[in-house]
Every structure is written in structure tokens, then in C-alpha cells.
Amino acid sequence: MSKIMRKIFKQLFQKPFTNLFPAKYAPNSVLKLFELLEEGEAELNPPIEIPPDFRGKLSYDTDKCIKCYQCKKVCPANVMEKDPDQDNYLVFYLSRCTSCSQCVDMCPVDAIEMTDDFLLADADKYNDNLILNSKKSPGELKTPEEE
Amino acid sequence: MSDDDKIEFNEGKDNVKLSKKDNSYSVPVGPINVALHEPLRLYFEEEGEEVIDVDIKPGFTHVGIEKIATKRNPLEFQPVTQRICGICSDTHGFTFVRSIEDALDFKPPLRSQYIRVIIAELERIHSHLLWAGSAAHEIGFDSLFYYIWKEREEVMDALEYVSGNRVNYEMNLVGGVRRDLTEERIVYLKKALNHYENIKEEIEETLINDTTVKMRTRDVGVLPKEKALDLASVGPTVRASGVKKDVRFGQGYSVYSEFDFEPITPQRIFNEVHGDVFDRIAVRVKEVAQSIRIIKKCIEDLPEGNIAYEENLGKLLTEIKSSGGYGFARTEAPRGELIHYTGSKEGEENMSVMKVRTPTYGNLLSLRPMLMGSEIADIPIVGASIDPCMTCMDRMIFVENGEKETYSKKELREISKEKTERLKK
């Protein structure tokens, strides 16, 4: 009993461990936070440093892609879909991505990479931020012709 | 209680079977209840404060992992297995790749096996601390809960640094691991381990020698040794009843046979076995220290060499496709014995069968003897003492016996319960 009580009293005088991200006193609305930021009234709190080789948001380079579709074979969540309008290059729906990074390991030409970006939460799962290489939702894609 | 007292009654569609007395009343708890963290329905028959009968109705979170498996190849499916459970995610991946290796006769390199054991043991530390915290919360000791969860952050950070993600580590690959333990990762790991070595005694002091914890958990939810053996409980639940049952120790899979350790039972800690919630807390706390010892030995002995049988995923996939077979693997997850059964046909890429038996499946029935005779206020802590994970457990079985038959879990539970009744006579 005494030991835990001592611990608790010691912690009363310590700083909180929580990092108040993105701002120390953020209003409920995100838009209002942006307004405050523009006016210079609020200050952004940097996030806690992420470890090296962190598995974050995917990035896709169409210049490097050789369209071998090996990544599609190992993706557990069917993130990639072919886009016939774009010469069958891939479209990535990141709201489905589980960050397993198997496509990155599989890609023979390093066209897919994992970035350090981790801010992926969104109310709209087909937001532009969450679709790579297109602005269409999956329903708007044409069905690829059978080979 | 004699058979004459037994009256069966149906409540809704659940077909509850409870024995009744003149002054008794029934209390349903769950599936959504403040006292439960997991969707599980419990029916209690109470006489005053005392529980005189219990009926357990699981099956609210069936996700159909088995069906998903038949549409995917093993490489595609390995990240999905790690999402069966949110806490023991690595253990599921570990067991799955071992069952695939068993089916296809792959030999993972020694270095990868050591790395797997390190991650599995780190996860055990994290899972046991998480459980200890939530157990403290269940008995209303919230300052202890916050203290333990604060200490848990250290191992979470270490796992994030090593694997690149906080919860789903994705370290396992069929025939090896996906990431190497580099020098700087080992330095980070050692820092975390030293932290736990330093606070080990403090945690033991606050959990085992604390009067509040002892008052609330001693002789509560007792599972006698014979009952534990009859119901085939697994993991810390059965070890707390004084049975030396640990797959790591008994089977020595992966490289566990290289280490010198014994399953932890209350006999070794207190020289006596009660089989109650307090013993379960003590066993888990001591296992944290045991895991630290195993990891330290692993890092010391870590051999040089490759980290995977085949690092090129494309080649690996072709090899998996060209061979087929059925594999089986047992692993000691933080909660107990975990079994994966997998199979694929030769020349076919997708898996043909996948079956999981999680520790909670083995432990759930032991809730009944534990809850019998306890008070209403003890239900949350007794329920939590087996560390239940319902999303892991809710499964379905296909039995092919001449013709295809499907047993729903409800029927299986009935069969299982009948057997329990039969054995009791």
C-alpha cells in the first residue's frame, strides 16, 4: 500500500506524459483551429518522433511501375485496382490499407514505398488524401477488360 | 444439487438452462455490459447474493476468418491472421507461419527463430501487463491500473521501434522473419528490458503484496486442479490451478528447447495452490520476469545468418504454389495454447482450409466452476481472470463425415456441455 501511495504522490508533481497533438488548446472544430493558426493565435505541437522504418502511408510512382501486378497478389485487403482510363496503371485506396508493407517488399522496381506520414484518419474514406493516382471512387472505375 | 431441483426454461431464443430454487431469480449480463469488456452473454441464477447456476452464451463477434482464408494465398493471408486478436497479434502470425512451414516442410534459419521468440516474449510482457492493469480496474483500484499501463508503454515503444508498428508487428514471414534485429534495435530493446528489470520488484510489490488486491481476489473464483484438468483449461488459468502445462516447456517448439525454464505455478511462488484469482495474478506477474530472462538469453545467443528461407516474396510464392499439404502448429500465446491448422492443395495458390483454436475457447468453460458460489460483485474480476478474448474465439467448425455437416457453435456448446455434465456424474 505504502509503495503505490508514494508512487502516486510522486506523480502528482510530474508533467503529464500525453503529447497534446496537434495543438495545446485546440477548439472542437478543426476548421476553427485552422482559422486560429492563420491568425497566429494557436501554435502547432509537433508529434512524437516516429521510429526509423515506420510503416505509414503508401506512395506510388507510375514512372517506375512496370505493371507486373505482383503487389496485387500479396495484398490482403485489395487496396490496388487497375484503372483502364490510365492505361491500366494502379489506383490505391488507402482506406483499405492495413500497413503490412508486403506490396513494398514484393515490388521488383521499388515503385511502391512507405512514407512516414501517419495522419490517415478521415470521415470520408474516398477523400483525395486517401486515394493514390486517381480521384475516382471504386464504383466510378471502369471494369478492366478480361485478358 | 440433485437432478430433481433442475428446471429448464427458455429465455427468448437463447435456450438458457439454469437450475432454479424457490427464492432464486435470474440475472442476464451482457453481451454489452459495463462490467464486461468483451461481447459475451452470461446468465446467472442468484439466491440472494450467491450465484447458484451459470450459463454461458458466446458467439456475438463471428468474423469468418476461415472463409476469408480460402480466397487468399498464404502470403496474402499472413497479415490477416495477425488481426484475429488485437493483443496477441504476433502469436497468431507466429503460429500461422509455423503451420504453413509444417505443411510445406520449410526450415526457417536459426537467426529468424530467435527473433521470433524475442518478439513473442515481448508481446507476452505487454499482454500480461495489460491484463494486470485491467484486472486492477475490475476490482476498482484505478491508480494501480494507470500505474501499470504507464509502465506498459515502454514495451510498446520497444516493439514499435523494432517492428515499425505499435500493435500489428508483421514480423513473421513463411520461412523466416521480415525484419532483422540490427545493432541499434538491440540497444533499444536492452534499454526497455533494463527498465523492466528495475521496476520488476515494484510491480510484484504492488500486485502480489498489496492488501487491497489480496482482499478482493484471495479465494475468489476458485478453479480446483481436477476441474481444470477435466475442462482442459490452458495457459495461466490452468497453471494457476497448479498444473504444469506450458506448450513452450512441454513441446519446446522453435528454439524454446534451448532455454532452461520451468512453467510457473503457485506452488513455486507461495508453496501452496489455491487456484483462485490471486494465484492467476501472481502467475502472470512472475511470467513477465520469466519472459525478460528468455529475451535476454535470446539476445545473448543471437546467431548470425539469414533471416528468411527465401527473402524474395515472388520466388517464395511460386514455391508455396508448387507444393501442398496440411500443417498444424501449437504455440503458447499469452493467454494459453493456440492452435492453427492450415492446408493447401498442390498446384493451387489459395489455401483450402484454415482452422483456429484460440486459448479462450479452452478457458471459457472453466468460468462456470469459477463463478459458482461467488457474489455478484465478483463477476467482473472472475470473468476477466481468464483473460477472455471473444473476437479471437468465435468460430465455426465444418465436419465432413460421409456428407458435409455444419455444427453451429450453439450446438457444439451443447455437446460440450453435455459432456461436462456426463463427466460430473
Side-chain angles (χ1 to χ4, degrees), chain A residues 53 55 76 98 100 102, chain B residues 72 75 78 163 168 178-179:
Chain A
D53 294 330
R55 298 200 305 272
T98 61
C100 68
Q102 291 211 112
Chain B
R72 280 162 173 76
L75 282 191
Q78 72 193 8
S163 69
N168 292 306
R178 292 179 57 193
R179 275 169 183 241

Side-chain angles (χ1 to χ4, degrees), chain B residues 17-258:
Chain B
K17 283 182 187 147
L18 291 167
S19 50
K20 294 210 155 197
K21 282 187 181 175
D22 288 346
N23 295 327
S24 67
Y25 56 95
S26 46
V27 183
V29 176
I32 310 296
N33 189 291
V34 282
L36 297 169
H37 294 289
E38 305 271 350
L40 168 70
R41 200 167 172 89
L42 295 165
Y43 286 92
F44 295 98
E45 191 64 26
E46 303 268 350
E47 194 179 27
E49 264 279 305
E50 199 192 336
V51 177
I52 57 167
D53 204 358
V54 191
D55 200 354
I56 304 163
K57 298 280 168 194
F60 292 92
T61 43
H62 183 62
V63 283
I65 285 278
E66 291 85 348
K67 182 69 187 166
I68 297 170
T70 57
K71 290 181 177 177
R72 280 162 173 76
N73 62 49
L75 282 191
E76 207 176 346
F77 192 64
Q78 72 193 8
V80 182
T81 53
Q82 308 194 16
R83 281 154 182 84
I84 292 176
C85 180
I87 294 163
C88 35
S89 58
D90 176 76
T91 316
H92 275 280
F94 188 11
T95 322
F96 176 74
V97 295
R98 277 185 55 238
S99 71
I100 294 282
E101 280 158 16
D102 182 33
L104 308 180
D105 237 352
F106 283 180
K107 286 270 177 295
L110 204 56
R111 187 179 172 85
S112 72
Q113 301 212 23
Y114 271 84
I115 297 173
R116 281 178 185 179
V117 167
I118 290 172
I119 302 292
E121 292 302 316
L122 280 173
E123 192 182 62
R124 194 181 314 276
I125 296 176
H126 139 61
S127 173
H128 281 356
L129 288 178
L130 181 134
W131 179 83
S134 65
H137 174 68
E138 297 288 4
I139 57 173
F141 196 172
D142 270 355
S143 29
L144 185 57
F145 160 60
Y146 286 119
Y147 163 62
I148 290 173
W149 277 37
K150 189 198 121 227
E151 300 300 359
R152 178 180 147 254
E153 281 305 304
E154 200 75 22
V155 71
M156 299 292 283
D157 285 349
L159 277 166
E160 189 182 12
Y161 195 87
V162 171
S163 69
N165 207 318
R166 208 175 122 93
V167 177
N168 292 306
Y169 318 117
E170 310 286 359
M171 286 293 277
N172 294 295
L173 176 71
V174 176
V177 287
R178 292 179 57 193
R179 275 169 183 241
D180 200 2
L181 265 189
T182 54
E183 271 310 310
E184 53 186 8
R185 287 184 182 144
I186 290 178
V187 170
Y188 201 99
L189 263 187
K190 277 184 177 162
K191 204 186 87 196
L193 288 178
N194 285 338
H195 173 76
Y196 283 111
E197 292 261 275
N198 293 337
I199 61 153
K200 195 174 73 187
E201 276 170 21
E202 208 172 283
I203 291 181
E204 281 172 18
E205 180 87 9
T206 47
L207 274 167
I208 303 179
N209 298 342
D210 191 273
T211 28
T212 319
V213 176
K214 198 162 185 173
M215 245 159 32
R216 277 295 264 109
T217 56
R218 200 33 127 185
D219 293 321
V220 169
V222 180
L223 180 70
K225 190 174 176 177
E226 303 76 49
K227 271 269 160 60
L229 286 171
D230 277 355
L231 294 169
S233 312
V234 288
T237 312
V238 76
R239 286 199 285 279
S241 296
V243 185
K244 275 191 181 181
K245 192 166 153 189
D246 190 326
V247 189
R248 291 178 293 167
F249 173 73
Q251 216 193 18
Y253 61 88
S254 202
V255 286
Y256 277 113
S257 50
E258 312 253 321

Side-chain angles (χ1 to χ4, degrees), chain B residues 58-67 77 80-81 83-85 92 338-340 354-358 361 389-398 407-410 412-413:
Chain B
F60 292 92
T61 43
H62 183 62
V63 283
I65 285 278
E66 291 85 348
K67 182 69 187 166
F77 192 64
V80 182
T81 53
R83 281 154 182 84
I84 292 176
C85 180
H92 275 280
L338 169 69
I339 296 171
H340 273 230
M354 160 83 188
K355 170 92 185 77
V356 185
R357 185 196 192 268
T358 56
Y361 198 90
C389 180
M390 292 307 143
T391 31
C392 297
M393 192 207 68
D394 284 345
R395 306 260 158 256
M396 198 163 92
I397 302 177
F398 290 90
Y407 278 109
S408 75
K409 192 150 50 313
K410 205 179 258 177
L412 271 174
R413 185 67 68 204

